[in-house]
Amino acid sequence: MTRPETAESATMIIPRGTEIAVDAHGQLSIRTPGNLVLQNSGAFGTLESVHGSIRIEHGVEIEAATVRCAEACYVQGSLTAWKVIARALHLEDTARAHIVLQETERLDVGRGARLVGNFASEDELFVLFSRFAEQLRSLPVYSTRRRGRAAPGIDDGELVRAIADRADGQPGFDGEGEGDEAAAPQPPAIPEPLRFAQTLLERELHSPELNRTSRRVLEELVKLL
């Protein structure tokens, strides 16, 4: 005998062929053969629809390293992603999207939607950061905490240790004055956001999916930071 469903209970259907896993950083990754609809906020490693589309519904906030689908990615809520790969990206009027790298054939942005980022490749990102290196170094400190929690996939203690380790023994941005470090003026401390970005880029360098060109670009970005 099965217990009848109530109005408060929710049903989750996982199609055959769906893969759900946790990556090395503790982030959940979902790969499904058909359409994927997200009705609850969360942080993910990879979200992938092999043959269908991905939809983020109104009021839902999604953070993901990679969003990949064969058809379209529809955003009604909020999406923060390092990379989006899809045939089309649709941002409805209520959508908010922060996407660093976007690989799509078509982009539809609603009148009230907002899109930040939207680089076509790592090369574009590297060139822009190179042109504004001084401005990046002078960014004010911004807390990585949001709603009382750290950024997804980043452990507070681990991040603090990584920042502290990299802060020790750094002679400067350009390595000038190595022969007379005691007499040379000390450069200003690198802002916390750039330390955080540097840690994320170094993690990305260990990804097995990187090709030689992408790895070289990321290495140059880390050196620039």
Side-chain angles (χ1 to χ4, degrees), residues 10-38:
T11 301
M12 180 177 180
I13 300 176
I14 302 178
R16 181 175 298 175
T18 298
E19 300 176 8
I20 301 176
V22 177
D23 63 18
H25 306 306
Q27 293 179 310
L28 188 68
S29 294
I30 301 176
R31 184 177 188 269
T32 184
N35 297 328
L36 178 61
V37 179
L38 300 167

Side-chain angles (χ1 to χ4, degrees), residues 94-112:
T94 57
R96 295 292 182 267
H98 297 77
I99 301 169
V100 180
L101 301 175
Q102 178 196 316
E103 299 179 10
T104 61
E105 299 176 9
R106 191 173 77 251
L107 173 63
D108 298 324
V109 181
R111 180 174 298 178

